[in-house]
Amino acid sequence: MDKDKDIASSDFLKSFKPENKGFKVPEKYFEELPFKVNAGKEVKKAKTVYWLWTGSVLAVCSLVLVLFLFDRGEEQVSYYSETMVGEEYNQEYLDHEISEEDLIDFMITNEEELISN
Amino acid sequence: MNYSDEEILKLVLSEETRSYGFNMLTRAYQKKVYWVIRRMVVVHADTDDLVQEVFMKVWKSLHDFNGESKLYTWIYRIAVNEALTHLRKKKRRFFIPIGDVESELVSHIADASCFDGDDVERKLQKALLTLPEKQRLVFNLKYFEEMKYKDISEVLNVSEGGLKAQYHHAVKKIKKELALD
């Protein structure tokens, strides 16, 4: 019998068997009860929350780190630029060898300053 | 062991046997609910999610079940609503016209991993997807589930006369569609 002709005929719906659904169902699907935690959705939700948290924590940490490094650098630059302005190296001063007497003088001067303060 | 709806209700409504009763209820309705939804949404994974949603809703609202309708028409109503809501969400989510959602469903019918019926079955399912949602639903409940018009009217809250007219139109359109194919 021609299948297409059979489909188009008025008796088709009567002759078609409702049990033959044609939809594929995983094997043993109906052996498990359907009422269980919706694992797929839960996992997806948990993953989204995890990545949102991790992402925001990482973003905040990187921001703090960048600001910290940037600030420190600026502080150091400004410190050196302020203290070293106008100063010149004195070769005679650099070449001068520190003797024991110089050191004792230096220590006595510092001690006197501390006492006077 | 098979229980009647009345026995299942008694078990579920008693505090001591609630879990056991609910297990019996899910066993009794698992396949029915699955097929009502599957024929509407076509894809197994979506059906699986929706079946779980249905039983979760049944579990949560069983204490509100007043027995005015039959247990099975009440469960079918929840299943039907879930399926229709899913299809509407799908249409809204993708901002695509209804026809595109249906052509997506047709593509699943053509996919061997989703549908392994013969040509006749495939053509019938494709023809069904050309029907408006409500008409398709009426056809499925009457033709595949072999439900009485009285029960379908309880599920869909539509008069029996209206259902008969819808079924008649659905059959006419399917025949036309199959003749064109």
Side-chain angles (χ1 to χ4, degrees), chain B residues 71-87:
Chain B
L71 181 67
Y72 105 95
T73 54
W74 182 67
I75 293 173
Y76 267 51
R77 197 185 308 156
I78 296 174
V80 160
N81 285 339
E82 281 297 315
L84 292 177
T85 310
H86 171 83
L87 290 173

Side-chain angles (χ1 to χ4, degrees), chain A residues 3-4 6-26 29-41, chain B residues 22-23 26-27 30-31 34-35 38-39 44 48-49 51-53 55-56 59 109 112-117 120-121 123-125 143-144 171 175 178:
Chain A
K3 210 177 249 179
D4 288 337
D6 184 39
I7 291 167
S9 79
S10 57
D11 291 333
F12 167 69
L13 287 173
K14 282 179 193 166
S15 62
F16 190 84
K17 287 178 183 171
E19 306 89 70
N20 298 333
K21 289 158 189 115
F23 288 107
K24 260 190 174 178
V25 182
Y29 174 73
F30 290 114
E31 284 177 20
E32 275 181 43
L33 286 182
F35 187 60
K36 56 189 175 191
V37 178
N38 200 340
K41 276 186 184 174
Chain B
F22 191 76
N23 274 353
T26 47
R27 277 194 199 287
Q30 180 182 14
K31 277 189 181 177
Y34 177 88
W35 284 114
R38 179 75 191 265
R39 280 190 213 100
H44 168 77
D48 188 34
D49 279 350
V51 167
Q52 290 177 32
E53 293 287 334
F55 284 106
M56 269 172 81
W59 172 255
I109 295 285
S113 65
C114 176
F115 194 88
D116 63 353
V120 180
E121 289 161 339
K123 279 179 181 175
L124 177 68
Q125 288 303 327
Y143 182 70
F144 290 110
V171 171
K175 280 181 183 171
L178 290 172

Side-chain angles (χ1 to χ4, degrees), chain A residues 92-109:
Chain A
E92 198 184 332
Y93 178 76
L94 289 172
D95 290 344
H96 177 74
E97 273 186 34
I98 301 166
S99 64
E100 208 172 313
E101 283 174 359
D102 287 337
L103 271 176
I104 291 165
D105 278 351
F106 174 77
M107 284 164 73
I108 289 169
T109 321

